[in-house]
Amino acid sequence: MRALVVYESLFGNAETIARAIARGLATQLPAEAVPAAGAPETVGRDVALLVVGGPNHAMAMPRPSTREDAVNRGAQVSSPHTGLREWLGRVQFEAGGTHVGAFDTRMDHPRFLTRLDHAARTEEKLLGAHGGASIAPAEHFLVLDTTGPLAPGEEQRAEEWGARLGARALAAVTAG
Ligand SMILES: Cc1cc2nc3c(=O)[nH]c(=O)nc-3n(C[C@H](O)[C@H](O)[C@H](O)COP(=O)(O)O)c2cc1C
């Protein structure tokens, strides 16, 4: 039984968060973080908890046009057509009811706009379409600017969130 974190990250901030979540999860059960571009095409029965996350782009999950925009701002991507949205569109789940969680990264300003960001909500919907059972509300992690850095304390908060999710997943599996 293990946990898997699948992420997309253009400038490295969501990757830092994903790795911190995996470190937190690993205090409870074996866990690893992998980029969506290299993630397995099947989520096996041994995955007790799948956590996915990535940045908000134009208030939503990244898509090819926004990835190209990020590349114009200095990001490096292997292909603008490969990311978390595409992975969630094609991945197969071996088991129904896999426990799932979602996160996103977003700017810390301006608040009236960032409140409209809905990348994590879309991730939750896509996970739900695979029969995923949400283990906790989506979490949002803040960056100070487009390319980062993360706001102070966010990496630590992600690690703690991961540990809490792992404990919940273990409890749910044991109870079930
Ligand atoms: C094309 C583009 C659009 C963006 N749109 C938003 C947005 O609507 N809301 C927001 O909070 N941040 C937005 N951002 C900033 C991203 O949230 C930020 O780049 C990201 O969280 C950093 O994560 P990463 O380093 O993993 O890519 C945008 C960034 C890019 C490149």
Side-chain angles (χ1 to χ4, degrees):
M1 198 171 63
R2 64 194 180 97
L4 180 64
V5 183
V6 178
Y7 65 88
E8 170 168 4
S9 180
L10 283 294
F11 297 103
N13 298 281
E15 176 176 2
T16 299
I17 293 295
R19 294 192 182 285
I21 292 169
R23 279 199 306 280
L25 286 166
T27 63
Q28 308 293 321
L29 72 173
E32 66 171 334
V34 296
E41 297 294 309
T42 303
V43 175
R45 287 180 195 283
D46 59 327
V47 176
L49 173 62
L50 170 69
V51 180
V52 306
N56 273 280
H57 276 184
M59 297 174 193
M61 289 180 77
R63 48 180 75 248
S65 60
T66 67
R67 291 184 194 118
E68 275 163 9
D69 199 339
V71 168
N72 291 336
R73 302 185 203 196
Q76 294 194 338
V77 296
S78 48
S79 159
H81 300 284
T82 310
L84 187 58
R85 185 193 289 273
E86 291 79 3
W87 182 76
L88 282 167
R90 66 172 186 274
V91 68
Q92 304 284 319
F93 281 50
E94 262 180 15
T98 302
H99 296 296
V100 294
F103 75 91
D104 62 22
T105 56
R106 56 177 60 172
M107 306 269 279
D108 68 342
H109 63 275
R111 274 292 150 83
F112 71 96
L113 273 182
T114 58
R115 267 208 306 268
L116 303 175
D117 288 340
H118 58 264
R121 205 159 63 235
T122 306
E123 292 162 10
E124 286 180 317
K125 274 191 201 151
L126 295 173
L127 289 166
H130 287 291
S134 178
I135 196 117
E139 193 55 77
H140 314 288
F141 297 95
L142 299 179
V143 295
L144 299 183
D145 213 332
T146 300
T147 57
L150 289 162
E154 290 300 73
E155 190 173 350
Q156 177 66 28
R157 194 165 70 82
E159 193 167 331
E160 289 162 8
W161 188 64
R164 283 201 301 281
L165 288 193
R168 278 194 198 185
L170 275 188
V173 168
T174 311

